[in-house]
């Protein structure tokens, strides 16, 4: 019957259309969507500006090879460089590919310097993707089983532990790759000064700092990029998920001295940065400005956080409320499955982050009434799972 590979454990649900913060299944039942395709549908579903932009672009040109100049790609690179204060961009199609490109660039940069530095240090419980190199960088054993031999040149340190990183950095270290908030690994927010201290360590040792903002980037945490809140700038930045608002696109940005190592012929992608995906990303970024979505993220985040903290006081199964902006999590004292199922039955979609964390990733366009409704369904569900 099912000709698909069974690599996803799917929920018994088939979603066929969406509008704003709501989706509808094949039975006509509506759900409040606090998953957003895992932080992808930044503008919600069927946003008129995005729909119009990609429709018009399809009538003009969908794809053009990187054999030729692509003005929309140059325009998008310019906007992202200006917003991130980085110097140059490379476009691909996913988060894993953006990280893959970042690892290649970091190694090539050191090779070009005549240095032996090749090792990439990542954090325990991180998530960086499913390609061989990015799953190797991912600090979770469960994603690696059966895929050996894995690429060499990766090392791991506990997250939010500056001393451990200081001990791990040596003459082989090319780069440190970190998520500003660990998303898939359980919505871990590090201590206030962590990224700043990591930045100092990297500078002191000639090591590149790669920030994986595939999930935290594009406004998700209340600033365009989460690193802005740490008062630092990475050498290399990776983006994907929310960037295209649902059209697949990934990006890897870098400071000029590092970016220069991707000279002609060193890296590439057939689809990367084609006119359709760049048009989508440019539209997402322009709507974020015209609709003041960063302000909305902060306002709805405060409201959702307040509601989650109130529930924590009432329901002893909630251990912790965590995260920033509209990347929020509830740690439970047991498996999160029954709560997710109860919410789904009552019309709210949320997503797990590890076995015991419920993650809330509403569209950046979510409004107060929808957050209120979600909190109501969540409370009913907490009551029903006891
Ligand atoms: C989702 C995610 C990735 C992988 O992105 P894909 O588009 O699935 O390849 C990488 N890093 C982080 C932090 C992510 O959340």
């Amino acid at each position: 019957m099912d000709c698909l590979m069974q690599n996803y454990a799917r929920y018994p649900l088939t979603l066929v259309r969406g509008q704003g913060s709501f989706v509808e299944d094949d039975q006509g039942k509506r759900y409040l969507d606090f998953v957003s395709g895992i932080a992808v549908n930044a503008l919600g579903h069927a946003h008129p500006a995005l729909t119009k932009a990609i429709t018009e672009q399809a009538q003009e040109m969908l794809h053009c090879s990187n054999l030729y100049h692509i003005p929309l790609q140059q325009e998008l690179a310019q906007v992202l460089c200006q917003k991130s204060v980085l110097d140059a961009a490379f476009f691909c199609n996913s988060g894993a590919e953006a990280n893959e490109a970042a690892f290649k660039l970091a190694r090539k940069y050191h090779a070009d310097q005549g240095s032996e530095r090749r090792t990439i240090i990542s954090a325990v419980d991180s998530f960086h993707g499913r390609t061989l190199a990015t799953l190797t960088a991912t600090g979770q054993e469960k994603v690696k089983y059966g895929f050996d031999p894995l690429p060499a040149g990766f090392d791991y340190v506990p997250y939010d532990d500056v001393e451990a990183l200081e001990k791990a950095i040596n003459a082989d270290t090319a780069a440190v790759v970190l998520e500003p908030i660990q998303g898939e690994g359980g919505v871990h927010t590090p201590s206030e000064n962590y990224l700043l201290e990591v930045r100092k360590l990297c500078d002191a040792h000639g090591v590149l700092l790669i920030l994986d903002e595939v999930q935290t980037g594009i406004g998700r945490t209340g600033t365009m990029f989460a690193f802005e809140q740490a008062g630092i700038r990475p050498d290399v930045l990776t983006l994907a998920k929310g960037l295209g608002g649902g059209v697949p696109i990934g990006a890897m940005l870098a400071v000029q001295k590092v970016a220069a190592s991707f000279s002609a012929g060193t890296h590439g992608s057939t689809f990367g940065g084609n006119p359709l995906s760049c048009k989508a990303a440019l539209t997402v970024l322009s709507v974020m400005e015209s609709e003041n979505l960063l302000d909305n993220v902060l306002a709805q985040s405060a409201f959702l956080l307040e509601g989650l903290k109130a529930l924590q006081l009432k329901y002893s199964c909630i251990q912790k409320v965590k995260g920033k902006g509209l990347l929020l999590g509830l740690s439970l004292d047991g498996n999160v499955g029954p709560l997710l199922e109860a919410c789904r039955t009552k019309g709210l979609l949320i997503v797990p982050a590890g076995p015991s964390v419920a993650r809330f990733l509403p569209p950046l366009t979510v409004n107060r009434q929808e957050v209120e409704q979600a909190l109501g369904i969540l409370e009913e569900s907490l009551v029903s799972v006891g």
Side-chain angles (χ1 to χ4, degrees):
M1 258 316 271
D2 200 337
C3 291
L4 288 169
M5 293 204 188
Q6 299 297 302
N7 57 311
Y8 299 108
R10 298 178 198 269
Y11 296 113
L13 189 58
T14 304
L15 301 172
V16 291
R17 63 179 64 80
Q19 189 61 241
S21 301
F22 289 87
V23 287
E24 190 182 308
D25 73 10
D26 56 355
Q27 314 293 310
K29 179 172 166 163
R30 260 161 56 98
Y31 302 81
L32 197 43
D33 182 10
F34 275 38
V35 175
S36 307
I38 315 191
V40 167
N41 300 103
L43 305 184
H45 297 273
H47 190 288
L50 185 54
T51 306
K52 178 168 183 282
I54 61 181
T55 303
E56 286 174 2
Q57 189 55 46
Q59 289 161 343
E60 200 83 8
M61 179 184 261
L62 284 176
H63 177 78
C64 171
S65 166
N66 284 303
L67 288 168
Y68 310 103
H69 292 289
I70 301 174
L72 287 166
Q73 199 181 108
Q74 289 176 353
E75 199 183 324
L76 178 59
Q78 193 175 356
V79 175
L80 287 174
C81 285
Q82 183 246 322
K83 289 188 186 298
S84 63
V85 201
L86 291 166
D87 300 314
F90 163 79
F91 294 104
C92 51
N93 314 287
S94 67
E97 274 179 89
N99 287 327
E100 192 82 29
F103 301 163
K104 283 182 70 176
L105 181 63
R107 287 184 174 173
K108 177 76 165 39
Y109 165 74
H110 289 291
D112 288 349
Q113 310 277 303
S115 130
E116 300 292 313
R117 296 180 176 276
R118 295 295 182 274
T119 301
I120 317 272
I121 300 179
S122 63
V124 173
D125 286 338
S126 59
F127 184 81
H128 298 295
R130 299 287 199 155
T131 63
L132 276 172
T134 59
L135 85 83
T136 304
T138 292
Q140 304 183 40
E141 284 315 306
K142 64 173 192 213
V143 304
K144 302 185 188 187
Y145 174 76
F147 297 118
D148 56 305
L150 298 175
F154 289 87
D155 196 6
Y156 313 89
V157 292
Y159 191 61
D160 197 17
D161 185 338
V162 178
E163 266 174 47
L165 181 63
E166 186 162 21
K167 280 194 193 128
I169 288 177
N170 59 35
D172 296 329
T173 311
V176 173
V177 59
L178 293 170
E179 297 157 86
I181 294 174
Q182 290 188 327
E184 303 299 312
V187 193
H188 299 312
T189 308
S191 336
E192 187 91 40
N193 280 331
Y194 179 58
L195 289 177
L196 184 63
E197 294 301 321
V198 171
R199 178 71 272 183
K200 286 186 197 158
L201 268 182
C202 288
D203 287 342
H205 293 88
V207 168
L208 299 178
L209 176 58
I210 304 171
L211 288 183
D212 176 349
E213 294 227 29
V214 168
Q215 188 156 160
T216 54
I218 315 299
R220 181 54 58 186
T221 71
T223 46
M224 186 54 73
F225 308 106
F227 71 73
E228 295 167 48
Q229 296 168 50
I232 60 154
R233 183 178 74 151
D235 301 297
V236 181
L237 171 69
T238 57
L239 302 169
K241 292 203 164 95
L243 178 57
V247 177
I249 181 168
M252 189 269 294
L253 287 89
V255 295
Q256 183 51 38
K257 68 165 187 182
V258 179
S261 284
F262 265 4
S263 52
T266 52
H267 193 57
S269 162
T270 296
F271 292 117
N274 80 12
L276 181 76
S277 63
C278 289
K279 185 72 196 188
L282 281 163
T283 306
V284 167
L285 295 169
S286 100
V287 168
M288 284 185 69
E289 247 164 58
S290 62
E291 296 188 8
N292 290 317
L293 291 186
L294 292 178
D295 289 343
N296 189 57
V297 169
L298 292 175
Q300 304 314 327
S301 172
F303 188 50
L304 180 52
L305 259 178
E306 187 188 322
L308 294 175
K309 285 186 175 155
L311 291 175
Q312 183 187 15
L313 295 177
K314 266 172 98 171
Y315 299 92
S316 60
C317 64
I318 302 177
Q319 293 192 325
K320 234 174 156 182
V321 177
K322 39 198 204 168
K324 269 189 187 168
L326 292 176
L327 167 48
L328 297 177
L330 274 190
S331 289
L332 303 186
D333 60 4
N335 193 290
V336 75
L339 179 65
L340 295 193
E341 189 181 334
C343 285
R344 191 166 71 242
T345 307
K346 297 178 196 306
L348 170 66
L349 302 181
I350 50 180
V351 62
S356 60
V357 177
R359 188 170 24 156
F360 300 82
L361 296 166
L364 309 185
T365 50
V366 73
N367 64 37
R368 181 165 176 138
Q369 197 192 338
E370 291 159 351
V371 172
E372 236 161 72
Q373 191 181 340
L375 286 165
I377 296 175
L378 183 64
E379 177 153 23
E380 283 174 35
S381 305
L382 283 163
V383 170
S384 77
V385 298

